């Protein structure tokens, strides 16, 4: 029989982690990526402890991660008047067995890509090949069709196909042709980075404002020789969504002066937000978008993962983390069921329902729902937060979100490895 071969449409974070996972368990994998040359694009992301655990189990070290980011020490919410609503330690300082990392998305992506090439070989990543569709064969295998920049068409047949091709997934569109269009709830995000002095602990994730009008701020580099760090920021504002997203582009450069006036009031003794925004070299505008949940992520020998399966609002900072977990659950399922549709069915049964619920929870502001509660009760301005919302209520709200997102500390610390050292996929 031919060697099992998994085809992966998309060389983003999820697709690359899946390729590394399959290599770890002895399964041949090929990644098809539309861009010809991988480049470090994007700004900041957070990786929760559950995802960092999986990276370490793949042999990616904390030294590797420290080259592209730094461990997060604190997660905090702050009201419109600059006063603290809630704060908690994160990662190792919270008692997790694994750190949480804030990092430059593009640099992390390049780390994964280089690791794939080093471990699987340069031929494992077929660059400049955009997967345009798939066909299930009578023998149970699947053929993918891809197109290069010149319009040339090629076909490759494999055992399974995993669609890791993002929010605009071609694989998902074929699997669910009646799916509704991309969902926009009316929030605009402006994103950028600024070199500045760190705030609070020096490695704090800070949410500031209300659900309708807020900032998210965290460093993505260790301090340089002068004590400065690269701070990732996201400025958000909810506008009228009744007409949908009408501007061109989904992640387009904009002038900072086009939106900084919306945040002029965000000035405090510990942070001057307008000055931080004006200190950036460039800013990008994009709508906060997701897709409605779908009833299944599988179609026989084909499965979806990452944003192709569950594009969600970034309010929980767990989109990249969930893509990593997807990859590891797929690998875990193949250890039990082999490189088979049965493995994909187990993966789907494990994750599709709970993650679909998380998509909807994030539409409700995710962990930033605390800002909503404070806004409803006092307009975001207060002298004593305990008189607005009790400490127990705040802690319960956050614990509930962590359980839903898969990084509740007691459960995660007690869980055995998803893939133990030396485990291999079962014979198909």
């Amino acid at each position: 029989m031919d060697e099992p071969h998994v085809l992966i449409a998309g060389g983003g974070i999820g697709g690359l982690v899946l390729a590394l996972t399959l290599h770890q368990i002895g399964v041949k994998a090929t990644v098809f990526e539309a861009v010809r040359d991988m480049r470090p694009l994007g700004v900041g992301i957070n990786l929760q402890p559950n995802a960092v655990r999986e990276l370490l189990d793949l042999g990616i070290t904390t030294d590797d991660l420290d080259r592209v980011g730094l461990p997060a020490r604190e997660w905090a919410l702050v009201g419109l008047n600059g006063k603290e609503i809630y704060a908690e330690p994160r990662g190792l300082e919270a008692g997790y067995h694994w750190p949480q990392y804030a990092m430059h998305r593009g640099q992390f992506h390049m780390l994964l890509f280089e690791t794939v090439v080093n471990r699987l070989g340069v031929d494992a990543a077929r660059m400049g090949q955009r997967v345009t569709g798939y066909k299930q064969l009578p023998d149970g295998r699947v053929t993918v069709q891809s197109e290069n920049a010149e319009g040339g068409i090629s076909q490759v047949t494999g055992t399974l196909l995993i669609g890791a091709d993002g929010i605009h997934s071609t694989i998902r569109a074929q699997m669910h042709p009646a799916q509704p269009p991309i969902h926009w709830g009316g929030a605009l995000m402006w994103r950028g980075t600024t070199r500045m002095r760190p705030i609070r602990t020096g490695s704090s994730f800070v949410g500031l404002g209300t659900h309708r009008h807020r900032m998210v701020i965290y460093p993505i580099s260790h301090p340089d020789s002068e004590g400065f760090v690269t701070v990732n920021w996201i400025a958000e504002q909810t506008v009228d969504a009744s007409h949908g997203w009408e501007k061109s582009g989904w992640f387009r450069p904009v002038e900072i002066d086009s939106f900084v006036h919306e945040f002029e009031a965000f000035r405090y003794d510990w942070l001057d937000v307008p000055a931080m925004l004006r200190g950036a070299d460039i800013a990008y505008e994009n709508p906060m978008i997701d897709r409605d949940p779908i009833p299944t992520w599988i179609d026989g020998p084909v499965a979806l993962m990452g944003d192709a399966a569950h594009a969600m609002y970034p309010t929980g900072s767990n989109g990249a983390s969930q893509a990593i977990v997807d990859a590891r659950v797929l690998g875990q399922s193949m250890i039990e069921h082999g490189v088979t549709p049965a493995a994909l069915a187990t993966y789907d049964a494990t994750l599709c329902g709970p993650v679909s619920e998380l998509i909807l929870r994030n539409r409700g502001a995710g962990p930033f729902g605390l800002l909503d509660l404070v806004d409803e009760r006092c307009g975001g301005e207060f002298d004593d937060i305990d008189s607005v919302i009790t400490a127990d209520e705040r802690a319960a709200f956050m614990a509930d979100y962590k359980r839903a997102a898969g990084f509740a500390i007691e459960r995660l610390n007690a869980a055995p490895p998803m893939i133990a050292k030396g485990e291999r996929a079962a014979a198909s």
Side-chain angles (χ1 to χ4, degrees), residues 6-16 18 22 30-33 131-134 142 144 160-176 294 296-311 323 326-327 330 334 344 347:
V6 177
L7 311 177
I8 303 170
I13 289 171
L16 295 177
L18 177 60
L22 295 173
T30 301
V31 178
F32 297 82
E33 170 52 46
V131 172
T132 57
Y134 67 88
V142 60
V144 299
L160 301 175
L161 166 64
I162 310 299
D165 48 344
I167 192 170
H168 302 290
S169 170
T170 300
I171 305 303
R172 175 177 171 136
Q174 181 174 339
M175 187 182 295
H176 295 281
I294 46 181
T296 181
W297 297 347
I298 60 171
D299 177 19
V302 183
L304 304 173
M305 68 172 296
D307 280 353
H310 51 68
D326 292 352
L330 277 165
M334 290 183 201
L344 303 188
Y347 157 77

Side-chain angles (χ1 to χ4, degrees), residues 358 361 393-406 408:
L358 188 61
R361 183 183 288 260
E393 189 178 358
R394 302 195 301 272
F397 186 99
M398 284 305 305
D400 186 47
Y401 185 82
K402 290 176 193 174
R403 282 191 294 271

Side-chain angles (χ1 to χ4, degrees), residues 161-411:
L161 166 64
I162 310 299
D165 48 344
I167 192 170
H168 302 290
S169 170
T170 300
I171 305 303
R172 175 177 171 136
Q174 181 174 339
M175 187 182 295
H176 295 281
Q179 68 174 342
I182 286 174
H183 170 266
W184 177 47
L188 284 179
M189 298 189 296
W190 297 276
R191 309 185 70 155
T193 59
T194 301
R195 181 175 177 267
M196 57 183 279
R197 298 281 183 187
I199 58 175
R200 293 180 67 96
T201 67
S203 185
S204 293
F205 180 107
V206 178
L208 164 65
T210 71
H211 179 46
R212 301 183 312 277
H213 191 201
R214 74 167 180 255
M215 296 292 308
V216 174
I217 305 157
Y218 57 90
I220 57 173
S221 74
H222 291 271
D224 61 21
S225 59
E226 299 178 63
F228 287 81
V229 297
T230 299
V231 168
N232 178 83
W233 51 260
I234 306 168
E236 300 177 16
Q237 187 174 39
T238 299
V239 296
D240 180 11
S242 61
H243 303 294
W245 177 248
E246 297 175 344
K247 297 181 181 179
S248 61
W250 295 92
F251 200 78
R252 62 194 195 105
V254 294
E255 295 295 328
I256 294 168
D257 284 343
S258 68
F259 66 90
V260 67
H261 59 280
E262 303 287 356
F263 301 89
E264 286 291 349
F266 285 37
R267 299 176 189 267
Y268 314 102
D269 56 4
W270 54 277
L271 177 66
D272 185 329
V273 168
M276 178 185 69
L277 299 180
R278 291 189 173 99
D281 293 328
I282 192 170
Y284 299 92
E285 179 184 73
N286 62 303
M288 187 183 290
I289 53 177
D290 68 2
R291 281 197 180 276
D292 289 344
I294 46 181
T296 181
W297 297 347
I298 60 171
D299 177 19
V302 183
L304 304 173
M305 68 172 296
D307 280 353
H310 51 68
M312 63 183 78
Y313 284 2
T315 51
S317 298
N318 51 14
S321 294
Q322 186 60 54
I324 292 168
V325 170
D326 292 352
R328 302 297 282 171
V329 172
L330 277 165
Q332 185 183 52
S333 299
M334 290 183 201
I335 289 170
E336 181 180 358
H337 298 287
V339 186
T340 64
L344 303 188
T346 297
Y347 157 77
D348 189 56
T350 301
L351 290 182
C352 183
V355 177
S356 294
E357 292 177 7
L358 188 61
I359 293 171
L360 300 178
R361 183 183 288 260
N362 278 359
R363 282 185 184 176
F368 292 106
L370 274 177
L371 295 179
D372 276 356
L373 291 176
V374 174
D375 185 38
E376 291 169 3
R377 297 179 188 184
C378 67
E381 306 263 355
F382 55 87
D383 292 319
D384 176 16
I385 188 59
D386 290 332
S387 66
V388 178
I389 180 170
T390 67
D392 287 346
E393 189 178 358
R394 302 195 301 272
F397 186 99
M398 284 305 305
D400 186 47
Y401 185 82
K402 290 176 193 174
R403 282 191 294 271
F407 61 99
I409 186 169
E410 299 85 359
R411 183 174 180 180

Side-chain angles (χ1 to χ4, degrees), residues 110-125:
M110 292 303 298
L111 166 65
L112 293 176
F113 179 70
E114 291 161 5
T115 305
V116 166
V117 171
N118 290 338
R119 294 185 187 178
L120 280 69
V122 66
D123 292 337

Side-chain angles (χ1 to χ4, degrees), residues 64-128:
D64 295 328
L65 298 178
D66 281 333
R67 287 197 294 271
V68 298
L70 78 165
R73 299 181 57 197
E74 181 191 44
W75 192 90
L77 292 179
V78 178
L80 281 176
N81 57 4
K83 294 184 178 181
E84 183 178 294
I85 292 172
Y86 179 85
E88 65 178 19
R90 280 295 173 101
L92 297 176
E93 294 190 22
Y96 286 96
H97 295 169
W98 306 271
Q100 176 175 328
Y101 265 85
M103 59 183 62
H104 188 287
R105 183 202 178 280
Q107 293 174 12
F108 174 58
H109 190 200
M110 292 303 298
L111 166 65
L112 293 176
F113 179 70
E114 291 161 5
T115 305
V116 166
V117 171
N118 290 338
R119 294 185 187 178
L120 280 69
V122 66
D123 292 337
R126 300 193 181 184
M127 307 302 292

